Amino acid sequence: DYRMLLVMETPASRVIDAFGGTTAVARLVEAPVSTVHSWRKNGIPTSRLHHLRLASRAKRLKVDIDALLASTAAAPSEQVAA
């Protein structure tokens, strides 16, 4: 489905994929998989982005969240949920 393809190419999806996918992020932030999946379309809440930044440092992951969010021409409202 064309609409699903658009949803999966959001900056939030790039971040989620960099952490290993929806299930991996859900485990990391202790949230339901369905919640993390909705971030792909709606954006990742700011508080969860902070959590992901801390987790990436703690686990010594080389995930540059800011670069992933900026790596597309998407509107800021698509990058981070308000």
Side-chain angles (χ1 to χ4, degrees):
D1 183 274
Y2 176 72
R3 288 173 288 161
M4 188 61 144
L5 180 62
L6 289 177
V7 169
M8 297 318 218
E9 290 299 319
T10 65
S13 285
R14 292 176 191 253
V15 171
I16 292 166
D17 291 341
F19 276 95
T22 304
T23 301
V25 171
R27 286 184 187 137
L28 188 63
V29 300
E30 299 178 3
V33 171
S34 60
T35 297
V36 176
H37 180 74
S38 74
W39 298 347
R40 289 183 181 274
K41 179 180 177 187
N42 301 322
I44 302 170
T46 302
S47 63
R48 296 301 193 163
L49 279 173
H50 293 307
H51 188 160
L52 289 171
R53 283 186 182 99
L54 291 172
S56 69
R57 285 186 209 124
K59 294 181 180 280
R60 298 178 187 197
L61 302 173
K62 294 182 180 183
V63 177
D64 187 343
I65 293 172
D66 296 317
L68 290 168
L69 292 175
S71 65
T72 182
S77 63
E78 292 180 38
Q79 296 178 6
V80 178

